[in-house]
Amino acid sequence: MNCKPGDLARVVGMPKQMQLANNRIVKLKNLPPMEIEGCACWVLEDTLHVQVIGKMKTSRDTFLRGEQACLDALPDANLRPIRDPGSDAQDETLSWLPVPSTEKEAA
């Protein structure tokens, strides 16, 4: 699982027809995920309105290009949490380059 109840999360990896939802920020309800069509889905605090950019058929609805889809839940796989990593977290980018020195190099 990527998320936890109550998280803020960024939407990622949506189908091409709903790609306008990508990079939107959503807040998850403080509830455990529910099972929808075999995948764990989080209920959103507020409905996410997305304009469909191509015909899309789901198990319940068919959306035509230009229509607005109202999403009340999203799969965990399409969410990346935004949260404080904790006091013991380490920034891995610091290991990519040498640490800068405050000492001046001798000429």
Side-chain angles (χ1 to χ4, degrees):
M1 290 297 239
N2 293 318
C3 296
K4 296 178 183 175
D7 271 351
L8 280 177
R10 184 171 64 97
V11 180
V12 297
M14 293 296 283
K16 180 181 176 184
Q17 298 88 338
M18 291 203 178
Q19 69 185 6
L20 295 177
N22 287 333
N23 296 315
R24 303 269 297 271
I25 305 297
V26 294
K27 180 159 176 57
L28 310 180
K29 282 196 175 181
N30 215 355
L31 301 169
M34 58 185 190
E35 185 98 3
I36 299 177
E37 297 180 9
C39 66
C41 292
W42 293 94
V43 178
L44 305 180
E45 193 76 36
D46 296 310
T47 302
L48 179 62
H49 300 277
V50 180
Q51 185 176 4
V52 179
I53 60 172
K55 185 177 179 180
M56 181 174 183
K57 185 174 175 83
T58 67
S59 62
R60 298 183 314 191
D61 299 304
T62 299
F63 297 100
L64 300 175
R65 181 179 168 175
E67 287 186 331
Q68 193 168 74
C70 299
L71 307 176
D72 294 320
L74 288 171
D76 186 69
N78 293 100
L79 296 168
R80 296 295 176 266
I82 301 169
R83 70 170 92 92
D84 182 5
S87 59
D88 61 341
Q90 294 184 358
D91 186 353
E92 64 186 42
T93 59
L94 294 177
S95 65
W96 295 348
L97 296 172
V99 177
S101 174
T102 56
E103 298 176 15
K104 292 184 178 181
E105 293 183 26

